[in-house]
Amino acid sequence: MKNETTINPTDVVQTLKTDNNNVFRQFFKQYGVTLLLFIALLIFTALLTPEFFNMQNIINVARQASIVGVVAIGMTFVILTGGIDLSVGAIVAVSGVSFAMMINQGVAVPLALLIVMLVGIIIGIINGIGTTFFGIQPFIMTLATMAVGNGVALLLSNGAPQTFTTNSKIVDMLGNGGIGLIPGPVILFILSALVAWMVLRYLSFGRFIYGVGGSLDAARLSGVRTTRILLMVYAISGLCAAVGGLINTSRLFVGHPTADGAIMLDSIAAVVIGGTSLMGGRGGVGGTVLGALLLAMVANLLNLLGVSPYNQQVAKGIIIVVAVLFTTPALKQLIKQQWRGL
């Protein structure tokens, strides 16, 4: 007679509850500070500008956060390896200008989209080749690529914004369209974040990224093909930047050759505010999503309060520093150590 295992439904329910509690506890441990900052900002905004919670304004905030957010997702992959990608803004500019020019030349929209995304991937791979095969520091390599990309965008457009018109439903969905009340860019942002989260959490590629960020030499000695990993993360960053450029261009129907600086800085800020360490190996996409939303909320709040654009930059810089301080582990101990070193 065979032994049969009896499954108790109560035990199954209890196991599921325990797993859910562990997931929640892990999420709060990793992103708790950023989440608390986000909630505090919501309360502060409700007290100062209740009109912020107007449905149309919330949609606009989400749409604005999605542009920076998509770029920041790619940046998260790079920063998790201990690198940096300063070229994302230039890729946004090149993507917008080239897409607008191709549409004006009669290129089919799907083909133009594929070409632009391929260009973003190629630029990312170039960054990866420079940092791996030639040993150039990521900051220097991507700084050079940024300069070249900005120059290419200006050369293609002769320094002038490139306007275009099209009735494409794809462009409409990327820019000003959507499904119901949810804008197309927000849907794309959510899907990108979900895919990135699953890759980092469940795939060996994601574990290798954290390993490379923790210690490149240790990852290499463990059998991880570190060169392949770095090439792929920079390619992902280039692809995300190209998609961000397509969203921005589709929303305005203008490919601007200088639409680079703010997006690059904001994408890095979103990743850092989200708790991802610039040293690599710690962080994730969840914090980046919160960071992008937080930045968009701050910008919208300051606009509603009538704060000048110059003062907004000052406020944004202060918020970034405060967020980094709060998300730094063992901050109190670090301050004590540095104080003793004076």
Side-chain angles (χ1 to χ4, degrees), residues 39 54 75 101 104 131 149 154 191 221 234 239 254 298 330 339:
I39 294 172
N54 177 276
M75 184 71 72
M101 294 181 69
N104 288 333
T131 58
L154 291 169
L191 292 176
L221 292 173
Y234 279 101
L239 173 61
V254 176
V298 169
W339 183 260

Side-chain angles (χ1 to χ4, degrees), residues 98-213:
S98 58
F99 181 72
M101 294 181 69
M102 282 189 286
I103 297 301
N104 288 333
Q105 292 296 322
V107 178
V109 170
L111 179 58
L113 291 172
L114 289 175
I115 292 174
V116 168
M117 289 188 288
L118 181 60
V119 168
I121 292 172
I122 291 173
I123 295 175
I125 291 175
I126 291 172
N127 285 330
I129 291 173
T131 58
T132 55
F133 286 95
F134 298 102
I136 304 173
Q137 289 293 326
F139 183 90
I140 301 300
M141 182 65 208
T142 58
L143 181 65
T145 311
M146 178 186 73
V148 173
N150 287 336
V152 170
L154 291 169
L155 285 172
L156 289 174
S157 62
N158 289 322
Q162 300 296 303
T163 59
F164 68 98
T165 57
T166 179
N167 295 322
S168 171
K169 293 182 180 180
I170 300 177
V171 173
D172 182 61
M173 179 61 71
L174 282 173
N176 300 303
I179 299 177
L181 293 176
I182 306 177
V186 176
I187 296 173
L188 185 58
F189 178 31
I190 294 172
L191 292 176
S192 301
L194 286 174
V195 171
W197 177 77
M198 288 189 291
V199 167
L200 290 174
R201 183 174 177 83
Y202 295 110
L203 298 186
S204 57
F205 173 62
R207 293 192 293 271
F208 292 158
I209 288 175
Y210 282 101
V212 170

Side-chain angles (χ1 to χ4, degrees), residues 62-83:
R63 190 191 302 272
Q64 188 61 40
S66 64
I67 300 173
V68 172
V70 169
V71 179
I73 287 172
M75 184 71 72
T76 303
F77 279 81
V78 174
I79 291 180
L80 281 173
T81 65

Side-chain angles (χ1 to χ4, degrees), residues 2 49 60 129 136 145 167 221 267 313 315 332:
K2 295 182 179 180
T49 57
N60 290 335
I129 291 173
I136 304 173
T145 311
N167 295 322
L221 292 173
S267 64
Q313 294 299 316
K332 186 177 180 180

